[in-house]
Amino acid sequence: MDNLTPSDPLHLHVNRKPQRESTAPPHHVLPTRAFPLRLKPSSGWSSYLSYLPSWDPFPGGRSCPTSNAGTKTVAGFRNPWPSWYTPTCFQVWHHLSWGEDHDPCIDLAASHLRHSPVTDKLPEKRKRPRFNDVKDWPGSAGAKAARLLRIETPDFSFDSSTSPHAKVTWLGHAGVLVQLPALDAAKGSRPIRCLFDPIFSMRCSPSQRAGPMRAYPPPCCVQDLPPIDAVFISHNHFDHLDHDTIMAIWKSSKETVRFFVPLGNRTWFVDCGISEERVTEMDWWDSATLCSCPGKESPTTPSLQIWCTPAQHSSGRVGLDANSTLWSSWYLCRQSPEGIYRIFFAGDTGYQFHGSPDWPPSPPSGKNTQKPHTQVSDDTEYPPCPAFAEIRDRLGPPNLLLLPVAVGSTYFYFRSFVPLPDWINPFPRHSVGITAGIHMPPWDAVRVFKLMTELLGKDTTNEGASGSSDPGKFTNLHPPVAIAIHWGTFATKGTEVLKTLGQLEWACQQQGVHFARSLPVPDKESGTHEPGERPRKEVPIFIALNHGQSVAPR
């Protein structure tokens, strides 16, 4: 079979990173006499619940595919960098706070409502968040969040003439659909459709009767999606790997879909009833290629190259299985005669622990924050994660980045059990710096965005950039684009949405990045916060989309 029919999956070829038989990768934990399996495989927190000890519950370890002797027993996984830091009890206490949240970023986000017309009518029920105060329209925090972060009906149409590189649709939380031009130039060929960490359930939990619940309903259902070619999972936490969502995708796209997962996660999919040949398990730096015509590959043949790349995070679903499966980010490279387009999906990751509860710098309260950015020194006491610079150096700077900008849902879910106003709530808040090593806050997301794209438009000598057909040249006529993910979905209060929006805008202002709510268009800045504000051509753009909203970066 030389060419695909519309109902065939894309052809797959996997390249596993060679490994020495006697040396395990630094993120692998192998069972030894000095390191029994019943000890926890990594120091640190798997999640908010991993303040408690954890251990591998599978005697004998896990058998993971490698490129040499067939299989290798792995007890678990760990973050191998000094940037993975476990806070002390004193540091945790120091980062807690009680009372009203007076972060100026909340007011910064809400200040843009002065330019928005106020309607007396609430959004229809299926398109409004489930905040307790949302009906106090329009002045409550929940109402302000509903006005700033809306639910739109997704448009999944794809026109390669208007979307020459990609079309991106945010589906809530970390779920993103990326559509790329078809690999087969034949008329009527379908675009490549890649789905990242989808979750369409109302709860991210083992049960739909309890657990963290979405404030914003999904903008559509799985059955509304077009046929999916590839689903990428970053790790197995419930807000990134949802059973009902995966089974619905398998049912609706059974003829075309492939699943790409980090090591140790393949068994879960197969046990759910998904065909083994459709699940590809990969280690960090393993790569794969999707194409429509096998045997005809060349540097100019249209293909989608895939890399499983590192992330600083954790895994676990039942409390006792912490870090027994791998976590990752994903890097895609769409190659064609017209050029190369690179996409980086960070999944769920941290970047740098920050010891000061006053980090990051906040906008001056009650003053105009619309001012030129200034150099702000970052916390240097604890090192940042080196993985993102390594990904850039190995594979090239991405054109499109999907970056998390908020913590997970668990902590705020537990806090919601105390239904008291903040000024008398005994359940404290915590600063973003204490969890920044496992969940990137907006300030660090902007730093990572700039770090990974600083080579775009420059000539470099980088022989390791295997994602480039012309190593050493990463040119792009358009600025790089980042899309905010992992926010504004499993929130419990409107202030969480306002705070994230304000913190992201402030971080962009202070670090020389253009903050937008959509891509600027030639005639008017329909999606930016300030009318008439236009980014310079070379300035990177960080976008916070509405649920279901699409953009087509160039």
Side-chain angles (χ1 to χ4, degrees):
M1 181 175 62
D2 293 332
N3 295 299
L4 295 171
T5 66
S7 61
D8 290 327
L10 293 170
H11 295 290
L12 172 68
H13 177 71
V14 179
N15 299 298
R16 302 202 180 276
K17 180 185 177 183
Q19 297 175 5
R20 295 180 180 178
E21 183 67 29
S22 60
T23 305
H27 61 287
H28 286 200
V29 179
L30 303 183
T32 65
R33 289 186 179 180
F35 190 86
L37 284 170
R38 295 190 66 81
L39 295 180
K40 59 182 181 179
S42 131
S43 63
W45 296 342
S46 169
S47 64
Y48 284 110
L49 295 178
S50 59
Y51 286 96
L52 304 175
S54 59
W55 61 91
D56 189 276
F58 303 99
R62 288 180 172 273
S63 182
C64 298
T66 63
S67 58
N68 45 10
T71 61
K72 180 177 290 186
T73 301
V74 178
F77 302 91
R78 62 186 168 201
N79 295 294
W81 314 283
S83 55
W84 181 246
Y85 175 77
T86 303
T88 65
C89 292
F90 175 78
Q91 286 174 320
V92 173
W93 176 262
H94 200 46
H95 280 256
L96 300 179
S97 59
W98 288 263
E100 295 283 352
D101 192 346
H102 297 292
D103 191 327
C105 289
I106 297 174
D107 294 331
L108 173 60
S111 67
H112 298 293
L113 292 173
R114 294 195 298 263
H115 307 290
S116 302
V118 178
T119 61
D120 295 329
K121 187 177 180 181
L122 279 168
E124 55 183 308
K125 188 174 182 179
R126 67 183 183 89
K127 288 192 174 184
R128 70 169 181 252
R130 300 167 55 93
F131 300 130
N132 292 333
D133 59 346
V134 72
K135 292 184 178 180
D136 299 332
W137 196 265
S140 66
K144 291 177 181 178
R147 293 168 62 193
L148 282 171
L149 180 60
R150 303 182 301 277
I151 300 176
E152 300 183 5
T153 301
D155 174 13
F156 296 125
S157 62
F158 185 84
D159 184 353
S160 59
S161 63
T162 58
S163 307
H165 293 304
K167 182 177 180 179
V168 186
T169 306
W170 185 45
L171 299 172
H173 201 53
V176 183
L177 175 66
V178 176
Q179 299 186 78
L180 303 167
L183 295 179
D184 188 345
K187 185 177 180 180
S189 298
R190 69 176 189 263
I192 315 169
R193 298 187 176 102
C194 303
L195 192 58
F196 297 88
D197 281 4
I199 178 168
F200 288 83
S201 296
M202 285 303 295
R203 295 185 186 270
C204 54
S205 170
S207 170
Q208 287 302 300
R209 297 191 178 188
M213 190 171 188
R214 302 177 76 117
Y216 283 81
C220 65
C221 59
V222 171
Q223 291 72 22
D224 297 325
L225 296 173
I228 304 299
D229 295 292
V231 174
F232 296 91
I233 301 298
S234 64
H235 63 298
N236 69 355
H237 286 161
F238 284 100
D239 56 331
H240 295 258
L241 179 58
D242 178 67
H243 174 271
D244 292 350
T245 298
I246 294 300
M247 297 313 297
I249 293 171
W250 175 241
K251 181 179 180 180
S252 63
S253 297
K254 194 170 186 177
E255 295 181 335
T256 60
V257 69
R258 294 185 182 276
F259 297 90
F260 294 85
V261 300
L263 285 185
N265 289 286
R266 185 170 184 262
T267 300
W268 183 92
F269 284 79
V270 175
D271 289 347
C272 288
I274 296 174
S275 300
E276 292 187 24
E277 64 272 12
R278 295 293 189 88
V279 185
T280 303
E281 192 175 68
M282 300 171 70
D283 198 358
W284 289 354
W285 303 115
D286 286 348
S287 64
T289 302
L290 290 175
C291 62
S292 58
C293 301
K296 300 180 181 180
E297 295 87 350
S298 73
T300 58
T301 300
S303 64
L304 182 66
Q305 295 174 285
I306 300 163
W307 282 268
C308 179
T309 45
Q312 183 166 285
H313 201 58
S314 62
S315 66
R317 289 174 76 82
V318 296
L320 303 180
D321 63 342
N323 298 345
S324 62
T325 61
L326 186 60
W327 50 94
S328 73
S329 56
W330 294 95
Y331 187 105
L332 277 57
C333 179
R334 201 278 184 184
Q335 180 174 279
S336 69
E338 292 76 28
I340 293 175
Y341 193 75
R342 301 176 178 85
I343 301 167
F344 176 67
F345 173 75
D348 202 355
T349 182
Y351 181 58
Q352 182 179 17
F353 173 81
H354 299 276
S356 171
D358 297 324
W359 184 93
S362 298
S365 181
K367 298 181 181 180
N368 180 21
T369 62
Q370 302 290 336
K371 60 181 181 180
H373 74 279
T374 57
Q375 293 294 329
V376 179
S377 61
D378 291 303
D379 192 334
T380 57
E381 184 179 358
Y382 304 93
C385 179
F388 304 99
E390 184 180 7
I391 293 169
R392 176 204 63 199
D393 294 341
R394 284 196 183 199
L395 305 177
N399 305 95
L400 171 66
L401 297 88
L402 310 171
L403 298 177
V405 296
V407 299
S409 57
T410 307
Y411 186 87
F412 292 106
Y413 169 68
F414 286 134
R415 195 169 188 266
S416 69
F417 280 109
V418 185
L420 296 174
D422 284 345
W423 65 277
I424 57 172
N425 195 328
F427 203 120
R429 298 183 306 277
H430 64 74
S431 69
V432 295
I434 194 73
T435 55
I438 193 170
H439 286 115
M440 274 196 304
W443 191 278
D444 280 350
V446 176
R447 291 173 63 201
V448 169
F449 181 29
K450 294 183 65 177
L451 173 73
M452 295 193 71
T453 59
E454 62 185 5
L455 298 181
L456 278 175
K458 298 180 181 180
D459 289 346
T460 65
T461 303
N462 185 356
E463 298 298 334
S466 57
S468 173
S469 61
D470 185 9
K473 292 187 177 181
F474 305 114
T475 58
N476 186 32
L477 298 178
H478 301 277
V481 172
I483 306 294
I485 63 171
H486 203 266
W487 75 285
T489 305
F490 291 96
T492 58
K493 293 184 178 181
T495 51
E496 296 172 33
V497 173
L498 299 176
K499 191 171 183 176
T500 301
L501 275 174
Q503 287 181 343
L504 181 56
E505 180 178 6
W506 172 248
C508 288
Q509 288 178 7
Q510 296 302 295
Q511 298 184 60
V513 171
H514 183 75
F515 173 69
R517 298 303 307 276
S518 184
L519 274 178
V521 294
D523 295 329
K524 60 180 180 178
E525 302 300 307
S526 60
T528 57
H529 271 161
E530 294 299 327
E533 181 187 358
R534 298 175 61 87
R536 298 190 306 273
K537 183 177 180 180
E538 70 278 7
V539 174
I541 304 173
F542 210 126
I543 306 174
L545 294 172
N546 290 315
H547 292 264
Q549 184 181 357
S550 301
V551 291
R554 291 181 172 270

